[in-house]
Every structure is written in C-alpha cells, then in structure tokens.
Amino acid sequence: MSRRALTLLLAGFLVLALGVVGAFRPVPYVVLSPGPTENTIGEVDKKPVISIKGKQTYPTSGALSLVTVAYQGGPAAQIDLLTALRGWLDPTVAVVPQETIFAPDRDPKEVEQENTVEMTNSQDSATAAALNELKIPYSMVVSVVSTEKGKPAEGKLLKDDEINSVDGKPAKDVTVVSDAVKAHKPGESVVFNVTRGKDKLDVTLQTVAGPKGQTLVGVVMQAKYKFPFEVDINVGDVGGPSAGLMFSLGILDKLTPGEITGGKRIAGTGTMEPAGKVGAIGGIAQKMVGAKDSGATVFLTPADNCAEAMNAVPDGLRLVRAETLHGAVQALDALRSGKGEVPACEAG
C-alpha cells in the first residue's frame, strides 16, 4: 500500500472514530415526545381518576382524556448527539435547548417540587371552576408552600403564611397573586399582606427578574380550598398544570345527569382558572399526537394554542377552540346534539 493510500485510510479511520465518539457525547438538549393519556372519567390502576364523596354522582361514558408530554434528557441525564439527531428527524417529537425546560439557575429538586405543587393547584382550581360552573359555593385561601433560596421572599414569607392581598388587591386565587407580582418591573417593590398565626402583617419585597425575563419574588404558593364535599383526583406521577380543563370537565360529567361526551372519545388540554378561563400550554404538537394515538376524534384546544395546533394537527383529529370552561361545555353539548355552534381553531 502506498504512503498516500495509507495516509487517507488512517485519516478516514480517525474521522470515523471521532464521529462515533462525538455521536455519543452528551448534548444540552431535551427530546419532547407524546406522553401517556388518562381518561379523567375512567380509572388508573383500577382506581377512579376522579372520586367524589358526599355528593350524588351520575354514570358517564366515552372518554375525557388528559394528554401529556414525555421528555428525555436534562441536567442529570443528558441525551447524546445521536438521540438528538433522531429526534430532529422525527416529526412527532421536538428537540429543544435544555434551558427551556430546566432553568440554569434553578435546582432540579425545586423544579420538581414546583411541578408537584402546580399539579395540586391545577386539581383544586379545576374543582373550583367546576363548582363555579354549577354555582356551588366554597371557600379558599392562598397559602405559602415554600420560598426559593436566594430570592427576595426567602426568610420574609414563611411556610403556611396566608396571603390576603398583594398591593391591596385581594388574593382571590394563586393566579391573581402571580399576576400582581408580574405587573411590576424587576427592582420595584411589592407589598404582601399576610396572616401569620393570629397576626396580620405587611411584607414588602423587592422584585427580581426570572430566567425567562418575568418578574418574581421566589414564592411557591398553593390554594387551600374548603369544598362542601370531597373530590379526589388520582393521576399518578403526572405533573404540571395543563390538565385543568379535562379535570373540570370530568368533575362536571360526574356531577350532572346525562353524558357530556355523548359516548365519544374526547381529549384536550389547557390550564384552568377557578373563574373558568382556559389558559395556553406547551407541547401542543406532541399532545395532539398522543390524543390521536389514544383513539380521540375531538381535541379541545386552548384558544391561544389554536394557530400553532392548526399547523401540526394529525389527520382525523377535530380541533375545538376552548376559551372558557362554560364554552367547552357548550361546544360538547353542540357536538353531542348536532345543534348549535362548535367553535373551531383557525390557522394563524
């Protein structure tokens, strides 16, 4: 073999070796893919997803399924380049920078705790929204769960403090408190009035900028409700707030005569405020794929996600625009009866 041929052979081998090694090197990306679905009027591990005690319930049929997004990667288990490349070639998944899911200045344990609290808040807000829709009264306080290390609230707001108001605005729910803080520019002061034990006091905090530019003080809150009957929601280790709409519809279906689905397999997503407003969520493309794979033919879509959803909707899945819980109920009534308007998503 000539020296030239040997040199080319060795160079090619080196390039191949470097390519193989590089393909298995960790990269700071996360792969998002369709996650499992759960029927909120069905069962998980032979237990009802929604159990109601102390109030009459009614039979249900069909499905009202929440949808999820599964992720692979993160600071503790980074994916390799080959996995990222496969994800970029798969139209049903998304590959996103790691910091969009895991903020670089956040402790993963804090993020996990916050997701758990968000799921609990989501369940309670969904119950509150369903009861508001049925005009059933209840009471609520916003309570401090924890504060983030190094943030303004640390040492000033304490666990179990009950937040009465922010800048004089009554703390009607967690969203109201959060929005009141976000209304400030970083560096401005915000005043919390709290009940601590038997005392009421004002706590002034200087806001700071969060990892995505939003204003925050570093407090994790939870709405503590007193409902007139028991509503228990069992979804295993699913986290985050995006199942709120489907929880509310499942509760309503069980508390009212007739079957809200008309026997159809309905899936959907959206955060839920106690007042009934449906909020936007992330991962809409992956969630629609999960919905279609579960057999759903109708997908309730937050209004603010409609344009994005129209660009990625799977064949055979009908998108129904949902702005409020009441609107979603009316849309399902129209689908079931064949009468009335069914609000549709429109392309952006």
Side-chain angles (χ1 to χ4, degrees):
M1 182 180 294
S2 69
R3 180 177 295 181
R4 178 182 177 84
L6 181 61
T7 300
L8 289 173
L9 180 62
L10 289 174
F13 177 77
L14 181 60
V15 169
L16 178 61
L18 289 174
V20 171
V21 171
F24 291 98
R25 287 184 62 82
V27 291
Y29 288 90
V30 174
V31 175
L32 305 179
S33 58
T37 63
E38 299 291 355
N39 179 12
T40 61
I41 52 176
E43 295 184 343
V44 173
D45 297 329
K46 299 183 180 180
K47 294 181 180 180
V49 173
I50 298 174
S51 299
I52 298 173
K53 297 178 181 178
K55 184 74 173 177
Q56 182 178 359
T57 59
Y58 299 87
T60 62
S61 68
L64 288 167
S65 296
L66 63 88
V67 287
T68 64
V69 174
Y71 74 85
Q72 183 181 3
Q78 286 189 322
I79 61 173
D80 55 43
L81 179 59
L82 189 60
T83 301
L85 290 172
R86 283 201 300 263
W88 276 312
L89 295 173
D90 187 341
T92 68
V93 306
V95 181
V96 299
Q98 182 175 282
E99 61 267 20
T100 63
I101 308 296
F102 301 92
D105 62 345
R106 297 288 304 280
D107 184 334
K109 290 184 179 179
E110 286 183 352
V111 175
E112 184 178 347
Q113 180 192 36
E114 191 168 313
N115 284 339
T116 300
V117 171
E118 282 184 341
M119 174 53 82
T120 302
N121 284 339
S122 174
Q123 294 172 1
D124 287 342
S125 293
T127 303
L131 268 59
N132 283 333
E133 179 72 12
L134 296 173
K135 296 181 170 52
I136 298 174
Y138 60 89
S139 61
M140 183 276 298
V141 295
V142 177
S143 178
V144 173
V145 175
S146 64
T147 56
E148 295 180 34
K149 188 174 181 179
K151 295 297 190 292
E154 183 183 16
K156 293 187 176 181
L157 292 177
L158 305 181
K159 188 177 186 301
D160 296 328
D161 279 354
E162 293 181 359
I163 301 172
N164 304 312
S165 65
V166 181
D167 292 333
K169 300 175 183 177
K172 294 181 179 179
D173 57 51
V174 171
T175 302
V176 169
V177 176
S178 179
D179 287 346
V181 173
K182 291 176 182 177
H184 288 272
K185 295 179 181 178
E188 293 182 345
S189 295
V190 59
V191 180
F192 285 72
N193 181 268
V194 303
T195 298
R196 184 175 296 164
K198 296 181 179 180
D199 300 323
K200 287 189 176 183
L201 60 152
D202 288 333
V203 178
T204 301
L205 303 174
Q206 188 175 35
T207 60
V208 295
K212 296 182 180 179
Q214 77 274 29
T215 305
L216 55 80
V217 294
V219 59
V220 179
M221 301 168 288
Q222 184 172 1
K224 290 188 176 180
Y225 291 88
K226 293 183 179 179
F227 297 123
F229 49 87
E230 182 180 344
V231 179
D232 182 60
I233 300 178
N234 164 46
V235 286
D237 60 356
V238 174
S242 64
L245 171 61
M246 303 314 291
F247 287 149
S248 289
L249 290 171
I251 293 166
L252 282 174
D253 199 12
K254 291 199 166 195
L255 288 177
T256 52
E259 298 172 338
I260 199 171
T261 66
K264 295 181 181 292
R265 299 189 66 84
I266 311 292
T269 187
T271 64
M272 177 57 63
E273 297 181 10
K277 182 180 178 181
V278 177
I281 52 81
I284 190 74
Q286 289 72 47
K287 290 178 177 179
M288 290 189 297
V289 172
K292 179 68 185 301
D293 289 347
S294 74
T297 56
V298 174
F299 189 78
L300 297 171
T301 312
D304 289 341
N305 287 113
C306 267
E308 180 185 0
M310 286 293 294
N311 292 327
V313 59
D315 291 339
L317 192 64
R318 180 177 182 178
L319 301 187
V320 175
R321 188 178 75 253
E323 297 186 25
T324 65
L325 175 60
H326 185 70
V329 171
Q330 288 184 317
L332 292 178
D333 286 344
L335 281 171
R336 186 178 62 253
S337 66
K339 301 176 182 178
E341 181 183 356
V342 180
C345 282
E346 299 177 357

